[in-house]
Amino acid sequence: VADPRKTAAGGLAVALADALNTTGGMWFGWSGNIVKDGATGEGELHTQQAGNVTLATVDLSQEDHDGYYLGYSNDVLWPVFHYRLDLARFDAGHIDAYRRVNRLFARKLMGLLKPDDIIWVHDYHLIPLASELRAMGCNNRIGFFLHIPLPPQLVLAAIPQHEWLMRALFAHDLVGFQSEADLLHFSRYVQAEANATALGNDRFRAYNRTVRAGAFPIGIDVDEFQALTRAKDGMDMYHRMKEEYSRRKLLLGVERLDYSKGLPQRMRSFRTLLQKYPENLNSATLIQIASPSREDMGAYADLLREMESLCGSINGNYGELDWMPIRYMHRNVARKRLPGLYRAARVALVTPLRDGMNLVAKEFIAAQDENDPGVLVLSRFAGAAEQLEHALLVNPYDIDGTAEVIQQALQMPLEERQARHEKLLYRIRRHDVHWWRKSFLDALAGTDSTDQRNQVSWRKPPRNEDVSPVNQG
């Protein structure tokens, strides 16, 4: 749970802090504390005030944390939802912990709710929370937003408990996804696997309930990020990078070290760039920031070793005494310094193998100098690709093809860079984080959890045209 008075983390915290600080309310979830004494009973509930927002958090036992968070959430749902069945570990004990913790959360939350509260549940860790609340008699409006991708029907059906998970989604009044592709996967799954009836207007009837589904692509706070870019830390970083790399063309990648981000494929594409286009030797430098992530899990340790080997090999084969092709950083960089780094880069490489949205792409656009903007190279498998079609889209599995597009980005003339950036900036400003929050809550307000016929309609934003931030029937 994030403190809404401290929104430096950006993204979700910014969006929800804005909503909660405006209306008042409660932010409920895990405290981040793990009880080390082996207790497996109910966690302790903590409450504190943060302005007009109540923070309500629950501690978890070590057993529950390991089974619920590390086990089912990150060893089953995360890999499967990112299409990596080969990395999933279907341990029966993990699903028990996942159910147990969601039941615990529901019990703790139920006693804090008021009859007119609207409940907005976030992400894959809490899919069954609404069904547990309904079982306890909760009739409040409940919306759910999935921040990661939803895989196709047959991939999702590989989860042994997939029907139970989908049944749990129908306990919500509104289910939101990052992209139209995710919405399509949901539609096909519920009709094929749950025999759901499509009622039109993205409403589906199954398990004696009607749920509305929609695509609500999350954005960033463009003004806030541009202010960070102009702030002292951002500008200091920008000027330092421009001075240090005055004779180089700077490429940049920023993400967590995660197998969904396509980092080894990116390094191989950069190596191919140097092989096929030797004019980039002693000229192009890739700064790759890969923040530590879940390093106690086997797949991440393997990825770390692969990245270190690849970067060392490329630098050893192509580097000079005064030039290293790759500057690889396996640590966190302060958010207040990132905008300056984005602004200094000629090209940003955002090439995940699969991503729900990817806000780095949008932050890069916001940080650019509109008179001399950099170029965004974006994976077609990131949710952001549906909105940012004026970026250079690539298939990250195609190593040679990606290298060719990177070369195109490095050689792009100023006029084309300006034209692309103008269109991209317009799109991320039009559909920013505040639009995301308002459009979802407006749609949720158009549902009625006590009338499962759900006769009220709403309009989702068209994919390829810009609309007003207000979307309501």
Side-chain angles (χ1 to χ4, degrees):
V1 168
D3 187 332
R5 296 168 297 185
K6 303 173 183 177
T7 58
L12 180 60
V14 171
L16 299 187
D18 181 65
L20 288 169
N21 286 324
T22 300
T23 65
M26 178 182 297
W27 198 321
F28 176 91
W30 176 38
S31 65
N33 297 325
I34 300 173
V35 178
K36 299 291 187 180
D37 60 7
T40 58
E42 290 191 358
E44 182 179 353
L45 178 66
H46 311 275
T47 60
Q48 61 173 305
Q49 284 300 124
N52 62 343
V53 178
T54 301
L55 303 181
T57 60
V58 177
D59 297 340
L60 293 181
S61 69
Q62 187 71 56
E63 179 184 357
D64 281 349
H65 170 267
D66 291 351
Y68 156 76
Y69 182 75
L70 295 179
Y72 199 76
S73 295
N74 289 321
D75 257 356
V76 177
L77 297 182
W78 179 269
V80 172
F81 280 38
H82 286 87
Y83 301 49
R84 291 301 304 271
L85 287 171
D86 57 312
L87 297 178
R89 295 173 55 207
F90 300 111
D91 186 321
H94 292 164
I95 184 65
D96 292 338
Y98 184 73
R99 292 178 172 181
R100 184 169 62 247
V101 170
N102 273 277
R103 194 173 301 123
L104 166 66
F105 284 161
R107 283 200 304 270
K108 295 295 184 179
L109 179 59
M110 192 68 185
L112 303 173
L113 291 175
K114 298 178 181 178
D116 61 345
D117 281 343
I118 290 176
I119 304 168
W120 193 358
V121 183
H122 288 271
D123 227 0
Y124 60 103
H125 313 80
L126 300 171
I127 290 173
L129 180 62
S131 63
E132 297 292 348
L133 288 169
R134 298 293 188 207
M136 296 175 189
C138 177
N139 290 318
N140 298 60
R141 283 195 182 97
I142 307 179
F144 176 82
F145 188 80
L146 183 67
H147 290 262
I148 65 175
L150 188 75
Q153 171 200 344
L154 292 180
V155 176
L156 190 59
I159 299 177
Q161 304 85 9
H162 66 94
E163 183 181 3
W164 171 77
L165 280 170
M166 289 300 106
R167 183 186 293 267
L169 278 181
F170 273 76
H172 301 89
D173 299 294
L174 174 67
V175 176
F177 301 101
Q178 294 277 27
S179 69
E180 293 290 342
D182 297 332
L183 177 60
L184 179 61
H185 292 160
F186 175 78
S187 170
R188 288 177 173 173
Y189 173 91
V190 297
Q191 292 180 76
E193 300 286 342
N195 295 317
T197 301
L199 303 177
N201 202 26
D202 291 330
R203 294 178 301 135
F204 302 92
R205 181 84 179 171
Y207 310 117
N208 295 317
R209 283 192 59 88
T210 299
V211 69
R212 190 184 307 277
F216 302 89
I218 192 171
I220 65 170
D221 188 327
V222 177
D223 291 334
E224 182 253 1
F225 203 81
Q226 289 185 333
L228 277 178
T229 306
R230 295 187 295 268
K232 182 179 185 302
D233 289 295
M235 293 308 296
D236 285 350
M237 173 62 77
Y238 168 72
H239 290 302
R240 197 165 82 192
M241 290 295 100
K242 293 295 284 186
E243 180 180 356
E244 184 173 347
Y245 294 96
S246 59
R247 297 185 299 112
R248 317 288 188 205
K249 295 178 180 178
L250 188 60
L251 300 93
L252 178 65
V254 179
E255 45 261 303
R256 290 184 302 106
L257 185 71
D258 189 278
Y259 50 74
S260 67
K261 301 301 182 182
L263 289 170
Q265 291 83 356
R266 184 182 305 168
M267 298 306 108
R268 293 186 180 99
S269 291
F270 186 69
R271 180 174 60 193
T272 301
L273 175 79
L274 300 179
Q275 291 171 344
K276 295 181 64 174
Y277 304 99
E279 62 267 31
N280 292 305
L281 294 172
N282 207 27
S283 173
T285 297
L286 169 60
I287 294 180
Q288 178 59 60
I289 298 170
S291 304
S293 171
R294 305 170 187 155
E295 295 192 339
D296 54 343
M297 301 174 70
Y300 293 86
D302 293 342
L303 177 59
L304 177 59
R305 286 190 293 269
E306 184 178 10
M307 282 295 293
E308 290 173 345
S309 176
L310 272 170
C311 293
S313 173
I314 294 170
N315 283 338
N317 290 331
Y318 295 96
E320 303 287 349
L321 290 175
D322 61 346
W323 171 70
M324 284 293 110
I326 299 176
R327 295 280 297 275
Y328 172 60
M329 298 170 58
H330 179 52
R331 58 183 175 84
N332 293 309
V333 174
R335 184 172 184 264
K336 60 186 179 181
R337 299 172 63 193
L338 279 176
L341 195 54
Y342 290 144
R343 194 178 183 92
R346 174 66 65 89
V347 176
L349 302 180
V350 183
T351 55
L353 304 180
R354 180 63 59 180
D355 221 339
M357 176 53 59
N358 195 295
L359 297 182
V360 168
K362 297 184 176 184
E363 290 176 348
F364 175 78
I365 294 166
Q368 295 308 295
D369 177 358
E370 62 183 18
N371 295 315
D372 187 21
V375 180
L376 175 62
V377 175
L378 178 64
S379 168
R380 60 176 298 187
F381 304 127
E386 285 190 1
Q387 295 176 290
L388 306 182
E389 63 267 25
H390 296 290
L392 295 183
L393 300 183
V394 298
N395 170 9
Y397 294 96
D398 182 356
I399 303 301
D400 287 351
T402 299
E404 291 174 6
V405 172
I406 295 174
Q407 176 69 359
Q408 178 187 347
L410 289 168
Q411 300 296 323
M412 186 177 292
L414 175 62
E415 185 176 353
E416 183 180 352
R417 286 191 279 124
Q418 290 173 332
R420 287 179 180 271
H421 176 260
E422 181 181 9
K423 293 172 182 176
L424 291 169
L425 182 62
Y426 179 82
R427 178 57 60 89
I428 67 167
R429 185 175 290 283
R430 192 74 166 176
H431 295 138
D432 66 2
V433 72
H434 307 295
W435 169 88
W436 169 76
R437 172 184 56 81
K438 179 170 173 48
S439 62
F440 186 95
L441 292 178
D442 283 351
L444 182 57
T447 66
D448 187 348
S449 62
T450 63
D451 178 3
Q452 284 304 310
R453 292 172 298 172
N454 285 324
Q455 295 299 319
V456 180
S457 65
W458 62 284
R459 299 194 309 272
K460 63 177 181 290
R463 174 178 170 181
N464 290 318
E465 62 182 84
D466 295 295
V467 298
S468 166
V470 181
N471 294 282
Q472 55 189 7

